[in-house]
Amino acid sequence: MNAPASPGLYGDYGGRYVPETLIPALDELSRGWDEASADATFRAELDELLERFAGRPTPLYEAARFAPAGKRILLKREDLLHTGAHKINNAVGQALLAVRLGKRRIVAETGAGQHGVAAATVCARFGLECVVHMGSEDMRRQHPNVERMGLLGAEVRPVEFGTRTLKEATSEAIRDWITNVDTTYYLIGSCVGPHPYPAIVRELQAVIGREARAQVLEQIGQLPDAVVACVGGGSNAIGLFAGFIADKDVRLVGVEAEGAASLSAGRSSVLHGSRSSVLADEDGQVLDAHSISAGLDYPGVGPEHAHLRDSGRAEYMTASDAEAVAAFHQLASLEGILPALEPAHALARALDLDAETILVGLSGRGDKDLAEVLSH
Ligand SMILES: *Cc1c(COP(=O)(O)O)cnc(C)c1O
């Protein structure tokens, strides 16, 4: 295992804790990404795909009936994107990068199946082979997404060890990548993993914050007092925060699931190739996460969030399953919007946050969560 190289460090976090054999591939990825992001043709192609294929820009919508008296709550509507969540922003960008690097085989991990569907979608669009590693327990719980991936032409490979969920699926995707590194691109689903993945995913999701900052200034003539987003791996939150990090008076608030609170209840440890705040016991043994929303059910989090927490620039809170379900019902009945259960956690904290004007990242739509909500 390698000690972290200095690029890709966020304070004490980040780095590259991977086998020696992956270092050349990570270097190639870093170089490829730097060149691509400096290339106007690449950026223009990405922007066009985001607009015409994914559905950007997404609206900023003021939820006036949902907001309690004396508050304004504005929703960044990533739920309106193709495939139903912010994950497509990242999948489109990384697929374009894979093509540029000459890789025709894509591997991805998925938990609830949302990232797997986004990856399968862009692979169909670019004619790439797609293998999605998914825990067999998640395959059982998220059967419609398994069917979707199949219809999109992806192969879903069941992972049969450990808790048979996202943690093991990620380990298996990394193993696949190590074995097939010459032909294969690893399309990671959140701002986690070894450097440069956290930086690439952040950049690809930063479009959320850039749009939202301009929209809020245009619509209400001021910046919000607080920006709130749910945190699983942390990609929708870091993308939204990115637009406001330099605005020191804007509070940045991340909301974790109570049973998957890597930042609120974790400790510094290494998981899936980087150091971050991880749900682990005193011996560093990674603990199982639990949440009603499969997308927040991960014991790790992106390293930049751990650093934003330590530096005090961002605050992290939790919401319970019951609070998320209550917020889901409130948004549905008062605004006519069924949110995914992940951003319902952010909505729950926005309701009682001590701030007047609040921007909330609505990271995805609730269609996938109906059974979960109805049985709660
Ligand atoms: C996957 C997912 C999340 C959690 O992932 P992040 O990387 O933390 O954004 C949040 N919301 C939705 C709708 C998701 O599908």
Side-chain angles (χ1 to χ4, degrees):
M1 294 285 154
N2 259 49
S6 47
L9 285 186
Y10 304 88
D12 298 332
Y13 307 104
R16 288 176 173 173
Y17 294 83
V18 297
E20 204 59 54
T21 47
L22 272 191
I23 298 294
L26 290 169
D27 284 342
E28 181 195 10
L29 183 61
S30 286
R31 254 193 328 272
W33 173 248
D34 288 348
E35 286 168 15
S37 32
D39 178 349
T41 312
F42 178 87
R43 287 206 313 271
E45 197 175 347
L46 177 57
D47 287 348
E48 187 179 314
L49 280 162
L50 289 176
E51 182 189 324
R52 299 186 194 167
F53 185 65
R56 305 212 69 89
T58 59
L60 183 72
Y61 170 74
E62 178 156 10
R65 279 165 48 80
F66 175 77
K71 274 193 185 188
R72 299 185 79 171
I73 294 183
L74 298 114
L75 307 178
K76 181 58 175 162
R77 299 286 313 271
E78 297 294 294
D79 59 313
L80 295 176
L81 287 174
H82 183 38
T83 70
H86 69 290
K87 288 196 170 78
I88 196 75
N89 301 323
N90 170 52
V92 163
Q94 287 199 59
L96 212 50
L97 182 59
V99 170
R100 188 182 167 100
L101 294 174
K103 312 278 177 169
R104 307 298 304 179
R105 179 177 183 268
I106 305 292
V107 289
E109 80 294 338
T110 198
Q114 292 302 105
H115 173 56
V117 168
T121 297
V122 297
C123 285
R125 167 63 182 73
F126 288 98
L128 303 169
E129 181 188 347
C130 184
V131 174
V132 179
H133 296 275
M134 185 172 191
S136 54
E137 174 60 16
D138 284 337
M139 286 178 72
R140 189 186 60 75
R141 291 192 294 188
Q142 308 289 341
H143 197 66
N145 275 341
V146 177
E147 305 279 24
R148 271 185 200 108
M149 288 183 266
L151 290 169
L152 290 161
E155 179 196 343
V156 182
R157 285 205 192 148
V159 178
E160 301 280 8
F161 62 94
T163 55
R164 301 178 169 82
T165 60
L166 178 58
K167 174 159 63 78
E168 290 80 16
T170 307
S171 303
E172 199 52 36
I174 294 173
R175 219 185 323 273
D176 183 328
W177 190 38
I178 292 171
T179 312
N180 302 293
V181 70
D182 290 337
T183 58
T184 296
Y185 181 96
Y186 176 29
L187 207 173
I188 202 164
S190 190
C191 53
V192 298
H195 172 70
Y197 279 113
I200 292 176
V201 177
R202 171 208 220 264
E203 252 353 277
L204 290 172
Q205 294 292 4
V207 64
I208 306 173
R210 268 196 309 276
E211 281 177 14
R213 189 176 189 281
Q215 288 169 319
V216 73
L217 285 173
E218 193 208 306
Q219 287 182 28
I220 68 169
Q222 62 167 87
L223 289 173
D225 301 317
V227 171
V228 183
C230 65
V231 176
S235 69
N236 87 89
I238 207 69
L240 185 60
F241 290 0
F244 300 89
I245 281 184
D247 303 308
K248 296 292 181 222
D249 293 336
V250 177
R251 282 170 69 187
L252 306 177
V253 181
V255 183
E256 302 183 288
E258 203 170 62
S262 322
L263 290 157
S264 306
R267 58 182 80 225
S268 178
S269 188
V270 170
L271 177 65
H272 297 141
S274 64
R275 175 170 292 281
S276 187
S277 188
V278 177
L279 277 186
D281 67 17
E282 283 170 20
D283 303 323
Q285 197 67 33
V286 179
L287 302 171
D288 295 336
H290 287 290
S291 170
I292 189 171
S293 61
L296 301 185
D297 215 338
Y298 181 64
V301 68
E304 190 174 359
H305 283 293
H307 181 54
L308 287 171
R309 175 197 65 187
D310 289 4
S311 70
R313 180 62 190 92
E315 318 154 51
Y316 295 89
M317 304 177 174
T318 63
S320 67
D321 289 357
E323 287 176 316
V325 171
F328 174 102
H329 284 299
Q330 259 172 284
L331 196 72
S333 61
L334 293 172
E335 300 287 353
I337 299 170
L338 299 174
L341 280 171
E342 291 86 358
H345 290 72
L347 292 167
R349 282 292 74 81
L351 285 172
D352 56 21
L353 192 71
D354 183 20
E356 247 170 55
T357 306
I358 304 173
L359 171 61
V360 180
L362 199 67
S363 53
R365 68 179 81 126
D367 310 39
K368 68 185 177 62
D369 294 322
L370 297 190
E372 215 58 63
V373 170
L374 292 171
S375 70
H376 186 81

